[in-house]
Amino acid sequence: MNAYVGTPTSRVDGRAKVTGAAKYAGEFAADGLLHGFVVEASIARGRVARLDTSEALKVKGVVDVLTHEHRPPLADKDEAWKDEVAPEKGSPFRPLYDERVKFNGQPIALVVAEDWEIAKFAATRVRVEYEQEAFSTDLESERGKAEKVDQPHKPRGDAAAALTRAAVRHEADYVIPTEHHNPMELFATTAVWNGSGGLTVYDKTQGVQNVQKFLCSVFGKEPDDIRVISPYVGGAFGSGLRPQHQVVLATLAALALKRSVRVVLTRQQMYGLGYRPMTIERVALGAKPDGTLDAITHEAIAVTSRYEDFSRNDTGWAEQLYKSPNSNFSHKLVDLDVSTPSDMRAPGAATGVCALECAMDELAVALKLDPVELRLRCYSDRDQSQSLPYTSKQLRECYARGAEAFGWSRRNPAPRSMRDGKELVGWGMATGVWEALQMPVAVRIVLTANGHAEVSCAASDIGTGTYTIVAQVAADALGLPIENISVRLADSTLPQAPVEGGSWMAASSAHAVLGAAEEIRWELARLAKAMPGSPLADLDAADVTLTDGMIASSDGRGAAVSIADVMRHSKLERIEKEKLNQFAEDKSHARNTHSAVFAEVKIDEELGIIRVTRIVNAVAAGRILNTKTGRSQIMGGVVWGIGMALHEETVMDHRFGRIMNANIAEYHIPVNADVHDIDVIFVDEPDERINRLGIKGLGEIGIVGVPAAIANAVYHATGKRIRRFPITLDKLLE
Amino acid sequence: MNNFQYSRASDVADAIRLLAADPGAKLIAGGTNLIDLMKENVERPSRLIDISRLPLRDVEETADGGLRIGALVPNSDLAYHPLIEQRYPLLASAILAGASAQLRNMASVGGNLMQRTRCPYFYDTTTPCNKRSPGTGCSALDGLNRNHAILGTSNSCIATNPSDMSVALAALGALVHIARPSGQRTIALTDFHRLPEDKPHLDTNLGSGEIIIAIELPPHGFARNYSYLKIRDRLSYAFALVSVAAAVDLEGNAISEARLALGGVAHKPWRSLEAEAALRGQAATPDHFGRAADLLLQGATARSHNGFKIDLARRAVVRALMQAASATPQSQAHKKIA
């Protein structure tokens, strides 16, 4: 039954995307469509004392200017504003709710006009007076005000005492700046007014049902009043997990004006959404002379807003990776006058594992041990936080395969010992780890007598390939060619799905497809058995499989009936089955993906210019559903890791509390010239326990460990340890 | 973006007349910088005078063996023009070091000279900036100034000129031909851009009602020993932290003539005749290059974040001169600084 699963199947939506047939949220048309442009606050904290829209309203083509003083009703309870991924603690931001300014770049008005350029022009005619209040946006100057938040990882043993007595100790701060997602597609919503009070909302989001429920609660609507659709998403990386400003504003304007309204945020305005919060990571490692760990402490101090506590697991990853009898982890937050951070690819791990793996490299140097050897000596076969075995963990194999492919054995351990002309050569490595999560998802399959099946689910495809893997799994489970499968996703009226994030959608959607396909198979088996003279009459549904358009006995004796015959005989045009798949709770095992990343850098010794000339990323993530899209996803993570190591930084002027590089000319990500060889290895990792197909998900693991591997390679090349990211040439020349 | 009037100039005289008639008017050719600035409300012209159709697209040889380049020649056409590639490869290389292929296709030579600083405070209309709003103050002086000027700064402004092309033009000794209401005038490229002093809102010495009509290159193009070395935070599509246009004539290993200009360090391309003179007659060695770099960087001062640029510039000058002297110019296509 594996014609497609596990193969390098090309994207089923690839042609639609490259030909422009795929429509994104800001591309849907509507009669009489109006355009909204957001006016933003230019102070970090205070209140809007006066908002004069009269000049804007005089501009020909302007229909209205919505403000906190002039808008339809909005829910007044925090609960109504809490979407399914909102932080537990806090009071979510409410666009245009009141006169309070909570962060620079906050939306404070929406100009609605017949044309986008008119709205944009009129937005400059809105006069705002503020009462400013003292503010702070600087994590480092406010570090002393950090407050601890609850985290699942409890202290084990006495880490402080163990550190004191450690034969070899390493302790340092690693600083990772705020970073923004910068997806290619701008955040956009087209809210289509359907005449009777209802709306169809085309939105850029990672979760249509999350947005749909949120809009209903914020605007006091019934579930049938609002439908949210998001067929394609041009990248999101976590920025689209929560309903964003533009969807509230477009909906607000559509309801106020009883017209269809589109709001597209500019690139600059997207810097007022979520981000990876700046984090100061303090890691302390205490080792015995034999290179085993006796103590690990990891403290993270991260940015959050004053109105919500956003925190992720930065510090607990050592529990998965490295055996240590004593450990202590703590996560602290500093409230600043900024918008709430959000998930961004491998939230917590991208930063926390970066710090941990840089620290492990420093410990290896102190111990005079090879960095891979240190990790093998500290290797943990159990998740120590609850002392659980893993459903599978082929990390040892990742180290071995990655090292071999990279040629690690030829590494001279001495810093500055390897050269290529004017360039110093550095080889570094790091470990990656992420969770293998799975969530309840429902899928509907409609099988028609002509041998086609439509598979539908509310899940989003944020560019990761969900359309393709759903089609692959359905084709195999139904025994049909993939061309006969059509997939519908990301419509809130389709069967239930959570937001697409956390690397959980591949496993979750695939098993939901399996579940619905199984119901189809049972139905077909029942019908087939009932046919007069059926060769399958004596078989149970469990004993037949669907293959090549046939219902066939699984025992290989060749008994089979065609699906088309069965349906014709049963006078059925279609069989429709919907199934909610829930994974049985299993607290007896830990579920994680792992990787070993090896990086080569070449650094111009005089000029400090760093090139990442080679990356080998060996990944153990269970069964890989699609080796082609999977490889692309890991490569994307690696490129992002290069950016995290060398380029990315949201730069803020704390005197103004403003981001000063809110555009992709000045916020640097790697360009083609910065990317060289990337070798992705999928390590075989059979896992019969985690789920039926043995799937773990690949969304996050590709980036984890990459920045540390590069930073460690930079040290190996130069002898300089840069602990403040990104590693720019000025830091090397200092 | 503000509302504006649009006029299409029928010839250079018409463009000058239209400019004179409306003090808020701006010329537009490729628009690659002006339209960006209009979108940010930094530039709010009352009128755009479209000169993109004027017949200023020729590259012609001059009587003395130099080249005259029409102001509207697209940057990419110029970079790939056979005469430029053969005789002025330093200029071709500098152009290709800048922006992206798409921008170079649109951008004109004259427009490249007119591009404005990338200082983030200049772009952000909510912050003080003497260049954008004279008299409001300079936010960069005590703010984010990692990529700001180290030479020729004032207490009013530490912005840099972002052009790569201009740096090569300065080194090559190019002239700028300007049409004005009362006829024409010609000035050296090195006199075209200004230092900020107390009037940072003025980037250039172009007077009101004046139009760049051509750039002229002198006959000697240093086609054998040159290099344009641009150092930046990623290997492509970023503005220079420091860039160097270097060119030498060699007799044996002795330098008979040298040209040296820096980009990304000042309000204008930075050239020092003293530094060039110091190289003449000297052997092409790192020591001599370093001494020239020191002369070129004389008087360099740093603010809180850009001190590294002084040392980086010195290193880059030495490297660029080495590349030039060894006839191995920096490639703008390889994914590597040589």
Side-chain angles (χ1 to χ4, degrees), chain A residues 47-51 65-72 74 94-100 108-110 252:
Chain A
R47 55 181 289 273
V48 174
R50 196 164 152 271
L51 227 168
V65 181
L66 300 173
T67 69
H68 65 276
E69 294 164 331
H70 173 63
R71 58 159 175 81
L74 288 165
R94 308 172 183 181
L96 308 194
Y97 188 77
D98 59 22
E99 77 282 8
R100 290 299 309 167
I108 51 172
L110 184 77
L252 187 73

Side-chain angles (χ1 to χ4, degrees), chain A residues 292-505:
Chain A
T292 59
L293 283 166
D294 195 32
I296 299 175
T297 70
H298 189 162
E299 176 194 75
I301 303 175
V303 172
T304 193
S305 66
R306 286 203 197 280
Y307 53 92
E308 281 177 312
D309 277 3
F310 175 91
S311 66
R312 288 294 178 264
N313 172 28
D314 275 70
T315 61
W317 299 101
E319 292 288 72
Q320 255 85 37
L321 296 176
Y322 304 124
K323 213 157 37 179
S324 172
N326 304 289
S327 65
N328 198 354
F329 305 101
S330 89
H331 194 95
K332 295 178 176 173
L333 292 178
V334 177
D335 294 350
L336 296 173
D337 297 292
V338 293
S339 62
T340 304
S342 71
D343 289 306
M344 182 161 138
R345 204 167 200 174
T351 43
V353 174
C354 177
L356 174 66
E357 288 299 290
C358 288
M360 284 294 281
D361 197 69
E362 298 203 50
L363 182 67
V365 171
L367 285 161
K368 300 188 172 58
L369 263 185
D370 178 86
V372 177
E373 178 59 26
L374 172 65
R375 285 160 176 87
L376 292 173
R377 290 190 192 181
C378 301
Y379 196 90
S380 179
D381 287 310
R382 298 177 84 80
D383 174 347
Q384 296 158 102
S385 61
Q386 292 161 75
S387 192
L388 296 176
Y390 291 91
T391 60
S392 58
K393 180 175 178 177
Q394 292 296 320
L395 177 56
R396 270 201 186 90
E397 191 65 11
C398 294
Y399 292 132
R401 293 276 311 277
E404 190 193 343
F406 187 81
W408 185 257
S409 61
R410 296 192 298 277
R411 177 179 186 261
N412 181 336
R416 305 180 63 84
S417 62
M418 293 164 64
R419 266 181 187 280
D420 179 6
K422 293 186 184 75
E423 291 178 312
L424 295 163
V425 177
W427 286 5
M429 60 81 55
T431 314
V433 55
W434 185 250
E435 299 163 300
L437 301 166
Q438 38 199 23
M439 308 284 271
V441 167
V443 155
R444 180 164 58 232
I445 297 179
V446 178
L447 179 70
T448 42
N450 61 3
H452 280 73
E454 184 187 79
V455 186
S456 54
C457 174
S460 296
D461 183 338
I462 57 173
T464 48
T466 309
Y467 278 105
T468 308
I469 57 161
V470 163
Q472 287 176 270
V473 175
D476 279 354
L478 297 169
L480 296 173
I482 200 164
E483 296 75 24
N484 288 16
I485 308 288
S486 58
V487 182
R488 284 182 64 206
L489 296 177
D491 179 331
S492 61
T493 61
L494 295 176
Q496 102 171 44
V499 294
E500 172 152 35
S503 301
W504 59 59
M505 196 52 86

